[in-house]
Amino acid sequence: VNSAYCEMLAMTAPEVLTLTIYDVTFPEDVERSRVAFGRLLAGDFDNYAIEKRLLRADGTPIWTKICASVVRDEDGNAMYTIGLVVDTTETHRLTERLAHAASHDHLTGLAARSVLQDHLQRCRASAARSDELVAVLAVDLDGFKQINDRFGHLAGDEVLVEVARRLESLVRASDLVVRYGGD
């Protein structure tokens, strides 16, 4: 192990050397990692790359891309492996932020109208299976234009954010509050 890997895991080299890669692999990613590594050792492929989470010393997961290959002797027996580990946590965070931004209103944080159709389809399918009903409630803020005109758009934004917060506090976790239009 090198200092970069130790820093990535927030461990010292002696600590890291007492552990296997599976000891620092996020539990849900262990089996997939074992299968890929087993196939590498079996000679199914010369090298592989896998994205998975590792655990830092404090238990914090980090996303990584791991590339591994096997060095074999003249008879094809595995002598040792070489691995390269790249911390991709920031890339994953950025991807998550972009996905959230694409599907949520930037002002209120509510789901955007693009999410509504998919949610309605899932609700209809679930209702058909369980013989239940689906309800949609549309709320329009009367007089909202006057708030913007009289107090300015920042005040109007504050009203929208507060209404969003209150609506979200009133619904179940399975319900969806969407900002469909301006107000």
Side-chain angles (χ1 to χ4, degrees), residues 126-137:
S126 175
R129 286 190 303 272
S130 61
D131 199 29
E132 293 180 351
L133 298 174
V134 174
V136 176
L137 171 68

Side-chain angles (χ1 to χ4, degrees), residues 51-81:
E51 280 203 82
K52 69 177 187 173
R53 293 160 291 184
L54 296 181
L55 295 171
R56 294 174 52 89
D58 65 1
T60 304
I62 58 170
W63 278 100
T64 61
K65 180 175 184 176
I66 300 178
C67 301
S69 59
V70 175
V71 176
R72 299 182 183 279
D73 63 18
E74 307 83 39
D75 298 325
N77 300 310
M79 296 188 331
Y80 56 91
T81 59

Side-chain angles (χ1 to χ4, degrees), residues 45-113:
F45 33 79
D46 295 331
N47 55 63
Y48 76 93
I50 188 171
E51 280 203 82
K52 69 177 187 173
R53 293 160 291 184
L54 296 181
L55 295 171
R56 294 174 52 89
D58 65 1
T60 304
I62 58 170
W63 278 100
T64 61
K65 180 175 184 176
I66 300 178
C67 301
S69 59
V70 175
V71 176
R72 299 182 183 279
D73 63 18
E74 307 83 39
D75 298 325
N77 300 310
M79 296 188 331
Y80 56 91
T81 59
I82 299 174
L84 173 68
V85 181
V86 178
D87 184 344
T88 59
T89 303
E90 284 307 312
T91 302
H92 274 267
R93 286 183 185 150
L94 177 60
T95 301
E96 288 170 1
R97 284 194 304 268
L98 289 173
H100 185 270
S103 62
H104 288 77
D105 177 62
H106 73 280
L107 175 64
T108 63
L110 296 177
R113 89 172 52 186

Side-chain angles (χ1 to χ4, degrees), residues 108-110 137 139 141 157-172 175-178:
T108 63
L110 296 177
L137 171 68
V139 177
L141 301 180
D157 288 352
E158 288 178 18
V159 168
L160 290 174
V161 169
E162 182 61 26
V163 168
R165 239 190 322 270
R166 289 183 185 195
L167 287 172
E168 284 189 310
S169 74
L170 297 171
V171 300
R172 302 169 299 188
D175 295 334
L176 179 68
V177 179
V178 175

